[in-house]
Amino acid sequence: MSECTHNCETCGQSCSDRKAESFLAPMNELSDVKKVIAVVSGKGGVGKSLVTSLMASAARKKGFKTAVLDADITGPSIPKVFGITERATGTDTALYPSVTKTGIEVMSVNLLLENATDPVVWRGPVIAGVIKQFWTDVVWNDIDFMFVDMPPGTGDAPLTVFQSLPVAGIIVVTSPQELVSMIVEKAVKMANMMNIPVIGLVENMSYFVCDECGKKHYIYGESHIDEIAEKYGIKNIAKLPIDPEFAKAADKGDIESCADMLSEFADKILG
């Protein structure tokens, strides 16, 4: 073996001192984002966007400067739940996020489309490129916490977020069904493979409180969230009930009015 020159770029040898290649995309030079938290799910339809918006709302209510990067390019719902209807603005060199009623900065592909109902029929590399552009081209203004609403699953788009953005931790969203629990474990294992800590676990649609008897009814079966949390050493968990008020608030674009629903969970996550 030839003598080490300590220059990994020109060396073809494999050794313990070789630096791992970084795929991190550069943040826009005018941006300042202190901490990025990704909200993920093993499958669609479990409430990932709801948890993202509730966490951002809770953080904002606590006085943090907060942002949401909507990385779910083919299924963007963040502008709708926050009631944002105007398109994002930009120049030849930068894009500027829209701002919610309470001051949360938001960027989503739906803020760039001519019509919010236009489908995004793009292949994986194009979607990955757009996700990166939301980090490199958008001017994020002095953000304490950025929440990334991830696309569901463990495929190309989530991998782009994990590799391109400096994700400090992830929140995994699940629902009570046994099948979903298995899929959640896939998401947790993917995070472990990427060396990103799972900082919280949220079970959505966990139970329903009857108006008449006041008892909790487990519509989708008994919860498995505590078992998963114990298995993987996840300390912070939350259980969200089935509540029609969530749907009403989201449909009206007033999700920020529900900021208290994850307040205690947010306290543990945000410190």
Side-chain angles (χ1 to χ4, degrees), residues 57-253:
S57 299
R60 184 72 191 113
K61 189 171 182 179
K62 294 177 187 301
F64 294 109
K65 296 202 69 175
T66 309
V68 175
L69 188 159
D70 189 356
D72 194 352
I73 304 300
T74 59
S77 57
I78 291 297
K80 169 68 174 177
V81 299
F82 281 110
I84 302 173
T85 55
E86 72 278 3
R87 297 176 69 191
T89 59
T91 65
D92 291 338
T93 58
L95 288 169
Y96 297 92
S98 297
V99 182
T100 71
K101 293 185 286 289
T102 65
I104 300 170
E105 295 188 5
V106 174
M107 178 53 70
S108 169
V109 73
N110 256 19
L111 300 176
L112 304 175
L113 300 176
E114 190 68 31
N115 299 296
T117 55
D118 288 345
V120 176
V121 187
W122 297 339
R123 294 191 181 276
V126 178
I127 292 174
V130 172
I131 293 173
K132 288 182 181 179
Q133 283 184 290
F134 283 173
W135 179 251
T136 61
D137 294 3
V138 175
V139 178
W140 302 99
N141 298 294
D142 191 25
I143 300 301
D144 295 312
F145 292 99
M146 170 183 283
F147 296 91
V148 181
D149 186 19
M150 298 275 279
T154 57
D156 187 56
L159 183 61
T160 295
V161 174
F162 285 153
Q163 292 186 326
S164 301
L165 276 62
V167 179
I170 71 169
I171 297 171
V172 179
V173 184
T174 180
S175 58
Q177 297 98 321
E178 184 100 25
L179 173 63
V180 176
S181 298
M182 178 195 70
I183 297 173
V184 165
E185 292 198 49
K186 291 180 180 289
V188 172
K189 289 180 179 178
M190 181 181 185
N192 291 338
M193 290 172 62
M194 302 301 297
N195 294 317
I196 301 174
V198 179
I199 58 176
L201 190 56
V202 178
E203 185 176 72
N204 188 32
M205 301 177 284
S206 184
Y207 57 88
F208 172 74
V209 179
C210 177
D211 291 338
E212 296 184 2
C213 69
K215 292 183 179 180
K216 290 182 179 180
H217 298 275
Y218 298 91
I219 307 298
Y220 295 108
E222 291 294 330
S223 171
H224 298 281
I225 190 172
D226 295 296
E227 300 167 16
I228 297 174
E230 182 178 1
K231 181 176 180 179
Y232 290 98
I234 302 170
K235 296 181 180 180
N236 303 316
I237 65 173
K239 299 179 181 180
L240 286 173
I242 299 172
D243 190 341
E245 294 304 316
F246 286 158
K248 291 179 183 178
D251 288 342
K252 293 190 301 182

